[in-house]
Amino acid sequence: MKLLFIGSRLYDDIDWYVRSKNIESVLTESNEEAINLDLPDQVFIVPRGMDGPKQVALMQKVDAIVPLIGIDPPLIDVAHMKEEVEEEYGIPVVAAGVRAVELTSNKIRTKEFYNDIGVVTPNYQILSSPDELELEFPVVLKQGEGQGGKDIKIARSMEDVKEYFEKFDDALCEEFIEGSEISIEVLGFKGEYVALPPIYKGETTLEGTHPLNKVKTGPCMVDGLDNNLVQHTAYKVAKNLASDGIFEMDFMYSAKKDQLYAIEVNTRPNGTRYLTTATCGINSLCELVNMAAGEFSLSDISDRLEYHYSTEIPIGDYEGPDVKEPVKSFQANDFVVHGPAGYQRVTARADSKEELEKLVEKLI
Ligand SMILES: Nc1ncnc2c1ncn2[C@@H]1O[C@H](COP(=O)(O)OP(=O)(O)O)[C@@H](O)[C@H]1O
Ligand SMILES: [Mg+2]
C-alpha cells in the first residue's frame, strides 16, 4: 500500500501509525522549510495548489491520497482535485467534496444548510448596515469566512456594531447564546458515518474568549444535555453533507432554553482531535489512513472504543516529564503535548476524575 499525503505540518501525528501499518509514504509540501520533511519515505516539494500533488500521485502510482490540511483556504481546491482524480483516475481522495466544502466553508451558507435540514442554529440576520439590526443585544458579529475567532466581535450596544462596520461592509449577525460550547468529530466514508464522543469546551463569554484559550474536557458532561442528542444531530449533519473524511462540528447548549444550537462545521483535521482520542481511543487522523487503506469500518471503531476522562490545558511551553515514543500518540502515554512553541497544549487522560487531577498536577 502506497499513500500520498498532502501537507507536512500534521504528519508527525501519524508517522508512527503509517509505519506500524507498513504503508509506503509519499508526501508533497509547498514549503521547503516546513517541519516533518524527514519523516515520510519520499518528499516532493511542489508549487502551492493541487496540480503538483495530482502529478506526484499519478507518477508515483499511489493507491490513495490523504490531504492533511488543517486550515480552511485550500479546502475547495482539494475538493475539486478529489472529484477529478476519483472520476478520471479512480484514486480515492480522503477529503470532503465540493458541495460539502461550499456548504461549510462559509458561515452564512452553513446556517442556510442547517435551516434546510431542520437543525436548530442561533437566529441570525445578514447586515449590510448597523441600522438594519433587529435582534436584541448582545449579538455576535462574524464574517462568512474565518477560523480561530478571526473577525468575530460580541456587540453589546449599537456603538459596538458601528465600530465593527468601520472595518467591514457587512456582517453575519447572530443571537448571543449564553451556555456551553461543545465540539464533536464525525468520521465519514463512502456513505457510512460515526459520531465520536462530544467534547466540552467551556462556557461562552461576553468577551468572546475563543475555546482555543480555555480548558476543555472529555467526555462532555453538561447538566441537562444528553450526549446522544449531540451525536445524533452531528450524525444527521454529516449524513446530509454526504462526503468523506473528518467533520468537526461546533455546537452550543443553552441550559436556560434547554436548546442545542449548531454553530459551524469544519471538514478537515482540527483541534478537537487530541481530546477525542484521549477520551475514546479513536484518532481521526489515523482513521483517514484507514479509509485510504480500505480498512475503515464502523464495527471496527465500535470494537476499539474506550472510555476515559480527559482534559486539555493551554500551557504555553511544556516543561513537565518526558513523553514516550510515539510522542503524538496515547499508545504508550497518558498525555500528549502538541501545538507550536509558546502555544503548546497538553491533553491528558485517566480512568477517573481523581486520577486525572493527580496526573494534571504532575504535568503543569
Ligand atoms: N452565537 C454565539 N453566542 C455566543 N458565543 C458565540 C456565538 N458565536 C460565536 N461565539 C464565540 O466565538 C467563537 C468563535 O465562533 P465560531 O463561529 O465558532 O468561529 P471560528 O470559525 O472563528 O471558530 C465561539 O467558539 C464562541 O466562543
Ligand atoms: Mg469555531
Side-chain angles (χ1 to χ4, degrees), residues 130 159-169:
E159 297 286 281
D160 291 343
V161 181
K162 284 183 178 152
E163 204 180 288
Y164 191 81
F165 272 85
E166 284 169 17
K167 208 169 149 204
F168 300 102
D169 297 329

Side-chain angles (χ1 to χ4, degrees), residues 278-333:
T279 305
C280 76
I282 305 298
N283 177 323
S284 55
L285 293 194
C286 296
E287 293 310 317
L288 294 180
V289 175
N290 289 345
M291 290 172 195
E295 290 170 11
F296 175 76
S297 115
L298 298 190
S299 63
D300 173 51
I301 288 192
S302 305
D303 287 349
R304 286 187 284 124
L305 275 180
E306 301 167 11
Y307 194 92
H308 305 278
Y309 292 94
S310 63
T311 187
E312 181 169 303
I313 302 171
I315 45 162
D317 286 305
Y318 179 73
E319 288 168 353
D322 284 348
V323 193
K324 297 192 190 86
E325 292 285 342
V327 294
K328 296 302 257 327
S329 149
F330 288 93
Q331 298 295 102
N333 294 302

Side-chain angles (χ1 to χ4, degrees), residues 83-272:
E83 297 192 353
E84 184 195 331
V85 167
E86 289 187 345
E87 200 161 302
E88 285 182 24
Y89 305 99
I91 303 174
V93 180
V94 184
V98 174
R99 176 177 166 272
V101 172
E102 282 178 350
L103 288 174
T104 56
S105 60
N106 181 296
K107 292 184 164 79
I108 300 166
R109 294 198 64 175
T110 311
K111 291 185 76 82
E112 292 165 353
F113 169 65
Y114 289 142
N115 286 333
D116 288 346
I117 63 170
V119 165
V120 177
T121 184
N123 286 330
Y124 70 105
Q125 281 184 270
I126 312 296
L127 297 184
S128 47
S129 88
D131 41 271
E132 290 169 10
L133 180 72
E134 286 168 2
L135 295 168
E136 275 174 35
F137 290 114
V139 293
V140 186
L141 302 168
K142 306 182 183 184
Q143 294 299 298
E145 279 154 42
Q147 67 184 85
K150 188 172 176 286
D151 302 334
I152 293 185
K153 182 186 173 87
I154 314 243
R156 297 187 227 194
S157 66
M158 194 41 93
E159 297 286 281
D160 291 343
V161 181
K162 284 183 178 152
E163 204 180 288
Y164 191 81
F165 272 85
E166 284 169 17
K167 208 169 149 204
F168 300 102
D169 297 329
D170 46 31
L172 162 61
C173 176
E174 207 173 70
E175 153 193 25
F176 177 85
I177 307 298
E178 185 189 339
S180 310
E181 294 200 62
I182 295 132
S183 283
I184 178 167
E185 288 188 286
V186 182
L187 302 174
F189 194 58
K190 292 190 174 166
E192 291 201 299
Y193 301 91
V194 57
L196 299 174
I199 300 302
Y200 171 68
K201 302 201 298 184
E203 300 294 296
T204 58
T205 66
L206 281 171
E207 288 70 43
T209 314
H210 198 273
L212 280 170
N213 304 313
K214 291 181 187 163
V215 172
K216 306 172 207 169
T217 56
C220 176
M221 283 177 278
V222 170
D223 273 350
L225 174 63
D226 182 350
N227 283 349
N228 283 319
L229 175 67
V230 183
Q231 285 181 303
H232 177 78
T233 310
Y235 176 88
K236 177 172 168 178
V237 171
K239 198 164 169 103
N240 277 284
L241 285 171
S243 200
D244 299 331
I246 301 170
F247 305 86
E248 186 241 13
M249 302 182 199
D250 293 347
F251 288 89
M252 286 177 192
Y253 175 71
S254 161
K256 256 189 219 158
K257 299 188 174 162
D258 187 23
Q259 179 65 55
L260 183 69
Y261 298 92
I263 304 291
E264 64 163 346
V265 184
N266 295 304
T267 58
R268 53 169 171 78
N270 61 83
T272 304

